[in-house]
Amino acid sequence: MIETRAPGKLFIAGEYAVVEPGQPAVLIAVDRCITVRLTESEGAGRIHSSEYGQAPVVWRREDDGEHIIVDERPFDYVLSAISTVEELRSGRGASPRYFDLEISSELNDSDGRKFGLGSSAAVTVATIAALDEFYRLGLTLTERFKLAVLATIAISTKASGGDLAASTFGGWIRYSSPDRAALHAHREAHGVVSAMSCPEWAGCSARRVTPPSSLDLLVGWTGSPASTEHLVTRVHSPRERADETSSESSPAAQKARPLVSFAAESHTLVDDLVAAFDADDAEASLTTIRSVRALLRRLSDSTGSLIETEALHDLCEIAETHGAAAKPSGAGGGDCGIALAHPHTEAQTILSGWEAAGIRPLDLGAHREEGEIDEF
């Protein structure tokens, strides 16, 4: 049996902007994971996951042995990861084999509700790692990341890939995204093998950062699930409409201007935060986190999208009252918020205040770094 694990993630800064090619974000891989267990099988493969209910998803191969057939195929990330690796495996001349997958998650509560820690990314990364080992492909971490991006954008080109980078590389990272629409088009035209090293990866990067040693990370969960894709689509639709018109004075173009300004300010704040982290400057880090929250609130106002819900507002204000700097993490609209606090800050008072406000503290830390990050 092969067993692989991939951690969940939290956005620290750069959410929303990072969906634009080349825009940066800071993320942390958290120390809760999705586990994939792979065993070889014959005649058919089965995928066992609570996401599919009691019965497993059964898959088989066409007569040529290469193409996968799934009855009542769910449009999900595990099957996309399998298809993507299988295409690479075929391109490298490895023989097809059957296998079963058993998937379990630490990224949900006891009732199965997701914490918003990037479970789709984690299961994609863990599945690719298991298949890499099974087929003895010898992929580097960066190659696994690229496969995960290609598998993910086959479902949604709006996904930035930041969660995939955190799940692949672990620790704290600064990440910037490639042009996923161009990558998807390249794969469709030329296949996975070509897409792994095509020019469309330009602008994509990841490097490690280390937060100030004098700051602790606190995480709270509002209990309200949020759809990242829905929120990102809502926020970015003004720009998409503006791209369809050449009139600078059109209503669509006027609505797009706040997004252009937002992306530029977000880029500056991410760079400021990374510089503060690199310098072990706790006060500058706290100041920047507060500025990121303020920027997200302005984005919410300008686009009419609810990013900081009432629960997330309470989370932030409770933390700020006790000297911490806090903000929503990721798309907002529910899910998690984070706070950075000095160890002498009344952390337990913050956590107790969150609980009193109906916010569940999550005992999360940074997942270990997984090795060197190669050039893209």
Side-chain angles (χ1 to χ4, degrees):
M1 183 181 73
I2 294 170
E3 180 176 298
T4 56
R5 288 165 57 83
K9 66 83 183 75
L10 284 166
F11 270 93
I12 306 301
E15 47 269 274
Y16 284 105
V18 73
V19 300
E20 296 296 326
Q23 287 289 337
V26 174
L27 303 96
I28 177 177
V30 300
D31 53 1
R32 291 197 189 186
C33 297
I34 279 182
T35 300
V36 171
R37 296 177 179 87
L38 182 153
T39 54
E40 188 162 13
S41 60
E42 294 183 3
R46 293 169 177 80
I47 307 170
H48 299 264
S49 170
S50 60
E51 294 292 311
Y52 302 145
Q54 295 295 321
V57 169
V58 180
W59 62 273
R60 295 177 176 83
R61 297 184 183 276
E62 291 186 349
D63 292 340
D64 61 6
E66 297 298 336
H67 297 92
I68 290 175
I69 304 173
V70 181
D71 295 334
E72 300 180 5
R73 179 187 181 98
F75 195 52
D76 78 349
Y77 294 94
V78 175
L79 289 166
S80 187
I82 292 172
S83 297
T84 303
V85 175
E86 287 289 334
E87 186 177 340
L88 180 70
R89 185 266 314 152
S90 178
R92 292 190 172 186
S95 299
R97 298 154 69 186
Y98 278 108
F99 52 85
D100 295 338
L101 298 180
E102 181 182 342
I103 300 167
S104 58
S105 176
E106 302 167 351
L107 306 182
N108 305 335
D109 74 352
S110 57
D111 295 326
R113 293 182 299 169
K114 295 180 179 180
F115 291 131
L117 299 175
S119 57
S120 296
V123 75
T124 301
V125 169
T127 299
I128 286 171
L131 291 174
D132 176 24
E133 187 174 343
F134 181 62
Y135 283 123
R136 299 180 182 178
L137 298 173
L139 301 174
T140 66
L141 283 177
T142 299
E143 288 173 328
R144 287 184 183 178
F145 163 75
K146 287 184 171 184
L147 278 178
V149 170
L150 293 172
T152 298
I153 63 177
I155 296 176
S156 173
T157 57
K158 294 185 183 300
S160 71
D163 49 2
L164 300 168
S167 291
T168 301
F169 301 120
W172 294 70
I173 62 167
R174 179 196 186 275
Y175 169 80
S176 60
S177 59
D179 186 332
R180 284 91 62 210
L183 271 176
H184 180 64
H186 186 103
R187 176 187 175 176
E188 290 292 297
H190 305 289
V192 166
V193 175
S194 176
M196 289 285 284
S197 58
C198 66
E200 283 78 4
W201 289 101
C204 185
S205 67
R207 80 165 180 89
R208 302 203 179 281
V209 296
T210 303
S213 57
S214 59
L215 292 179
D216 293 333
L217 176 70
L218 306 178
V219 183
W221 180 52
T222 68
S224 300
S227 169
T228 297
E229 184 170 0
H230 172 75
L231 285 163
V232 169
T233 299
R234 182 183 176 95
V235 166
H236 283 267
S237 59
R239 172 174 292 187
E240 293 171 355
R241 288 194 297 269
D243 289 341
E244 297 171 0
T245 178
S246 60
S247 174
E248 290 296 321
S249 60
S250 69
Q254 291 175 16
K255 290 180 180 179
R257 290 193 188 109
L259 290 172
V260 175
S261 174
F262 167 79
E265 291 184 63
S266 177
H267 197 303
T268 298
L269 288 173
V270 168
D271 287 345
D272 289 346
L273 186 63
V274 170
F277 280 7
D278 288 343
D280 199 17
D281 189 333
E283 292 307 318
S285 299
L286 296 177
T287 297
T288 306
I289 290 294
R290 294 184 179 110
S291 296
V292 173
R293 180 194 176 195
L295 179 62
L296 287 172
R297 295 181 75 176
R298 293 198 298 274
L299 177 68
S300 180
D301 291 341
S302 65
T303 61
S305 300
L306 184 61
I307 295 173
E308 187 175 297
T309 61
E310 183 177 351
L312 286 170
H313 176 80
D314 291 343
L315 179 151
C316 294
E317 292 302 307
I318 291 167
E320 290 285 352
T321 298
H322 299 284
K327 60 177 285 293
S329 175
D335 284 335
C336 293
I338 60 145
L340 292 180
H342 287 293
H344 63 261
T345 296
E346 299 176 75
Q348 189 54 53
T349 304
I350 293 173
L351 300 180
S352 297
W354 285 354
E355 288 183 313
I359 297 162
R360 177 175 168 180
L362 299 181
D363 184 16
L364 297 174
H367 189 274
R368 68 181 182 277
E369 297 178 357
E370 291 291 354
E372 297 299 320
I373 302 176
D374 300 328
E375 292 292 329
F376 287 84

